[in-house]
Amino acid sequence: MREAFADTVNARLDTDPRLAVVLADISADLFARAASRHPGRVVNVGIREQLMMGVAGGMALTGMRPVVHTYAPFLVERAFEQIKLDLGHQGVGAVLASVGASYDGSGMGRTHMAPGDVALFDTLPGWTVHVPGHAAEARRLLGPALDGDDRVYLRLSTRGNAAARPVGQGMVVIRAGSRRALGTVVAVGPVLDRVLAATEGLDVTVAYLATVRPFDRAGLNRIAAAAAHADVMIVEPYLRGTSAHEIAEALADRRHRQLGLGVTRDREVRGYGAPEDHDRAHGLDAEGIAASARGFFLA
């Protein structure tokens, strides 16, 4: 996904004089040629993430369209005050593109993990949040974001699904349950393949979502209405329960139960390990998702 992001932005730098890229060393090699061609529009501030966001805010105030990129914990958590003030409070837009996702960089330790990034954006108004599950989806979501003037967070991952799915149109049904379906499972971004494997043989509708904010409340309500039961399980590749309030709002007109799977809140996984090890620890591997789905829908 990072290469797809860089290729798309590099190509657009040659054709859109409004576009600018702000970096903090990470991925600077991917923009080296563009920096030589457009030295005033590819800016590397070094390891100064708060400054990076301030520079982006200043560029946006002059009418430019800044694209800001680094690892998720540095982009979102370290520079959160500047995101809130230099972009949101000033009423200007930018495209923030992260890598590292929740624990893609687990081998580098807790400093490179950020499972709470989407939850943080949930505290700020006016943000669009994309969580693509495939490199092709990242390209499709990035194009309109570069054209716009709004505030967009693009959450890139090193892992994803085997095939790209429809994006940019809200919640999409990937596998429909019967009229007697036990409920709906919403898979966000790169967890879709695991969800499909985990729910094989279970009479549920599986829906896919790559744009999580704004949340497609109407789409979820429509999908839930087609099943015998309005119960919903959502599998998010970040902090567990992040979208619980959105599901409650979406289904406020009907009785339902909901279960959220994601990165656990009650403890910190302190081992480094591989991302797959963290999946198992949080119950986000196919086996863990299957056990939760059976326990929820068949209880």
Side-chain angles (χ1 to χ4, degrees):
M1 292 189 200
R2 180 169 15 186
E3 286 73 19
F5 156 74
D7 290 347
T8 302
V9 174
N10 276 316
R12 289 290 293 272
L13 281 165
D14 291 334
T15 61
D16 186 352
R18 191 181 67 134
L19 200 64
V21 175
V22 190
L23 304 168
D25 276 353
I26 301 299
S27 300
D29 58 321
L30 298 179
F31 294 95
R33 289 187 180 180
S36 65
R37 292 196 302 270
H38 312 288
R41 293 195 287 124
V42 180
V43 179
N44 183 358
V45 302
I47 308 174
R48 301 175 180 89
E49 288 82 4
Q50 292 97 329
L51 173 62
M52 175 177 66
M53 209 60 66
V55 168
M59 287 178 165
L61 284 168
T62 70
M64 300 181 76
R65 183 58 165 168
V67 178
V68 192
H69 169 68
T70 188
Y71 267 85
F74 313 141
L75 181 74
V76 182
E77 295 174 331
R78 185 173 295 173
F80 185 70
E81 183 179 14
Q82 285 70 37
I83 293 173
K84 179 178 71 173
L85 298 178
D86 297 351
L87 295 174
H89 186 62
Q90 295 287 352
V92 294
V95 178
L96 310 188
S98 72
V99 289
S102 288
Y103 41 73
D104 282 1
S106 59
M108 292 176 279
R110 187 66 175 91
T111 56
H112 285 64
M113 302 183 199
D117 55 346
V118 176
L120 280 172
F121 277 107
D122 227 10
T123 69
L124 302 176
W127 280 90
T128 295
V129 178
H130 299 307
V131 186
H134 190 277
E137 296 174 13
R139 284 192 184 92
R140 292 172 196 160
L141 294 166
L142 180 58
L146 297 177
D147 291 335
D149 293 299
D150 55 343
R151 293 182 288 279
V152 178
Y153 178 48
L154 180 65
R155 191 182 204 257
L156 305 175
S157 178
T158 59
R159 301 185 296 159
N161 305 308
R165 303 289 182 166
V167 295
Q169 58 192 58
M171 203 167 293
V172 178
V173 172
I174 303 299
R175 188 165 66 208
S178 72
R179 286 189 174 184
R180 302 179 65 183
L182 301 169
T184 302
V185 180
V186 178
V188 173
V191 302
L192 175 62
D193 284 356
R194 279 173 269 164
V195 168
L196 288 170
T199 57
E200 185 70 37
L202 194 63
D203 189 6
V204 294
T205 292
V206 176
Y208 180 60
L209 193 61
T211 298
V212 296
R213 298 295 183 275
F215 191 88
D216 185 10
R217 297 178 182 177
L220 178 58
N221 190 291
R222 186 166 54 250
I223 292 168
H229 302 275
D231 297 341
V232 173
M233 183 177 89
I234 186 168
V235 187
E236 301 174 284
Y238 37 81
L239 201 62
R240 181 173 186 160
T242 296
S243 294
H245 66 101
E246 293 287 353
I247 294 171
E249 290 287 345
L251 302 181
D253 63 337
R254 61 188 72 245
R255 295 176 64 88
H256 70 280
R257 299 180 304 139
Q258 66 164 286
L259 174 67
L261 302 186
V263 178
T264 56
R265 292 173 175 264
D266 57 351
R267 61 188 174 87
E268 182 178 302
V269 177
R270 293 179 173 269
Y272 281 35
E276 292 77 12
D277 297 318
H278 288 258
D279 288 341
R280 286 190 290 273
H282 296 293
L284 290 175
D285 59 339
E287 292 76 12
I289 295 169
S292 294
R294 288 193 298 269
F296 179 64
F297 290 111
L298 300 178

